[in-house]
Amino acid sequence: MGEPPRERADAARNRTKVLAAAARLFRERGVDGVSMDAVAAEAGVGKGTLFRRFGDRSGLAVALLDERERELQEAILTGPAPLGPGAEAAERLAAFFEAYLDYLLAHLDLVRVSETASPGARYRIGAYRFWHRHVAILLAEARPGCDADPLAHALLAPLAAEHMTALVAEYGRARARKAVRVLVTE
């Protein structure tokens, strides 16, 4: 068992070009207004390269979100309190939901595409499993005796991107954020 195989230099360059092109196109046209063909053309790579590497738009969305998710995970694990260690569980839970809402609302269309690619896609994404575990641990500490695992899913449910998209469209970002805050803190 050695190190995982290193990415070839040309593959790494193509990945960087594709992600930069996709981010630019998504920003300019919106996620729903961009085809995989347009991303391949903008990046200067073949469609086969794009599809082999990312599969579809949802795979591309997951790759684009990866860096932001890692930053949030790092802040949770080693950042300053209350998001990071050192605060009471209830305070950390509220801080997590605020930070996650910041992330979600900043990347709502990409998160929606990544979560709705196929039935249950949201729950198979590694980041969701991390968020769920974190929330369950905090709930178990803040509410001893609660059934933390299903309760964590229930608290994360309103943060599903499709649900948040509907809330934002109908009530605006501020009211959607406040509704989630009330669920978590009361």
Side-chain angles (χ1 to χ4, degrees), residues 5 9 22 29-30 44 53 76 80 106 118 128 145 165-166:
R29 302 180 193 170
R53 182 66 187 246
I76 288 167
S118 62
Y128 179 85
T165 298

Side-chain angles (χ1 to χ4, degrees), residues 8-9 21 39 46 49 60 80 101 105 112 157 170-172 174 181 185:
R8 291 185 343 252
V39 173
T49 297
L60 198 50
L101 279 165
L105 293 171
R112 184 180 44 78
E170 188 162 346
Y171 302 108
R181 188 180 298 128
T185 59

Side-chain angles (χ1 to χ4, degrees), residues 8-9 17 19 48 51 53 72-73 84 106 113 124 141 174 179 184:
R8 291 185 343 252
K17 288 185 340 186
L19 291 177
F51 281 98
R53 182 66 187 246
L72 181 52
Q73 290 171 5
V113 168
R124 290 189 300 273
E141 186 179 328
V184 173

Side-chain angles (χ1 to χ4, degrees), residues 114-115 118-126 128-129 132 153 156-157 160:
S114 75
E115 289 182 356
S118 62
R122 177 178 199 232
Y123 305 101
R124 290 189 300 273
I125 297 169
Y128 179 85
R129 290 191 300 270
H132 175 266
H153 282 300
L156 289 167

Side-chain angles (χ1 to χ4, degrees), residues 43-68:
V45 301
K47 289 191 292 188
T49 297
L50 183 62
F51 281 98
R52 271 191 306 280
R53 182 66 187 246
F54 299 101
D56 57 17
R57 279 187 325 141
S58 67
L60 198 50
V62 168
L64 284 167
L65 292 168
D66 186 58
E67 184 69 23
R68 304 295 77 76

Side-chain angles (χ1 to χ4, degrees), residues 145-176:
C146 76
D147 195 356
D149 284 333
L151 186 54
H153 282 300
L155 282 177
L156 289 167
L159 297 177
E162 195 160 12
H163 178 257
M164 189 56 68
T165 298
L167 281 180
V168 167
E170 188 162 346
Y171 302 108
R173 289 175 182 254
R175 285 181 72 191

